[in-house]
């Protein structure tokens, strides 16, 4: 495990103890198992996040829901590792998938808050940025766990995943 992974996982450990995220993480944990389709997990994460927003009386904002859903899905797969179908073998690929999705969703949400970047451009910037950061991490991993094209594939697939799941 690389230093970068350790730092990222520590952030998600704190997130798992957040009362806003815990119900979402618990809902995601109910559907996660080896071989589950990524869309099953992301739909459940979005549904649970939307329910949490309603219960808390928060305004329903699709960018915020995507961000929180993917953050919770990332925390859930770190808490209980499993393999997603359609990805290369290894539970770390699931982490790459959801972390890239969470990163892309956070970038999209931040750009949306500016109110000047069109949706298509926001999503392209978010996906591209997430893929570049994943690649940079793999370059850094050359000195620890090694460069992995399988990790990059999971990053690429995960980066676009927040924009494929319906939020409303």
């Amino acid at each position: 495990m690389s230093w970068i992974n350790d730092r990222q996982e520590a952030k998600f450990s704190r997130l798992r103890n957040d009362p806003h995220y815990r119900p979402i993480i618990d809902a995601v944990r109910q559907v996660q198992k080896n071989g589950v389709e990524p869309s099953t997990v992301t739909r459940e994460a979005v549904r649970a996040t939307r329910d949490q927003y309603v219960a808390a009386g928060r305004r329903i904002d699709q960018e915020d829901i995507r961000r929180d859903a993917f953050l919770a899905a990332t925390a859930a797969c770190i808490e209980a590792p499993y393999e997603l179908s359609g990805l290369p073998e290894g539970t770390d690929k699931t982490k790459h998938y959801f972390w890239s999705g969470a990163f892309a969703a956070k970038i999209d949400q931040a750009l949306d808050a500016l109110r000047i970047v069109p949706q298509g451009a926001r999503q392209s910037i978010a996906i591209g940025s997430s893929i570049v950061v994943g690649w940079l991490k793999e370059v850094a991993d050359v000195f620890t766990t090694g460069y992995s094209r399988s990790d990059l594939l999971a990053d690429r697939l995960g980066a676009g995943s927040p924009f494929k799941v319906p939020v409303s």
Side-chain angles (χ1 to χ4, degrees), residues 1-2 4 20 41 68 80 95 102 114 116 140 144-145 156 168:
M1 177 87 53
S2 73
I4 296 170
H20 169 71
V41 179
D68 286 353
K95 292 176 191 177
L114 296 175
I116 58 171
T144 56
T145 59
R156 185 174 50 80
S168 44

Side-chain angles (χ1 to χ4, degrees), residues 41-154:
V41 179
T42 56
R43 275 194 313 269
E44 182 60 21
V46 166
R47 184 207 57 77
T49 304
R50 192 175 45 249
D51 290 353
Q52 185 67 8
Y53 274 48
V54 169
R58 287 185 65 177
R59 180 177 64 86
I60 302 298
D61 180 86
Q62 68 179 2
E63 286 77 21
D64 291 347
I65 288 174
R66 277 191 197 113
R67 179 203 60 217
D68 286 353
F70 274 80
L71 288 172
T74 306
C77 77
I78 290 169
E79 187 174 280
Y82 65 102
E83 291 183 19
L84 287 171
S85 97
L87 294 182
E89 198 171 296
T91 58
D92 67 315
K93 306 311 180 262
T94 302
K95 292 176 191 177
H96 278 269
Y97 181 91
F98 284 116
W99 186 90
S100 291
F103 191 73
K106 284 181 81 167
I107 291 171
D108 179 58
Q109 187 267 339
L111 291 172
D112 179 58
L114 296 175
R115 305 271 185 241
I116 58 171
V117 182
Q119 181 180 10
R122 284 193 335 252
Q123 291 178 358
S124 294
I125 292 167
I127 292 167
S129 298
S130 184
I131 292 169
V132 167
V133 168
W135 180 79
L136 290 171
K137 185 202 169 292
E138 287 308 309
V139 169
D141 282 351
V142 165
F143 305 106
T144 56
T145 59
Y147 186 88
S148 170
R149 288 186 176 170
S150 296
D151 289 353
L152 291 174
L153 174 60

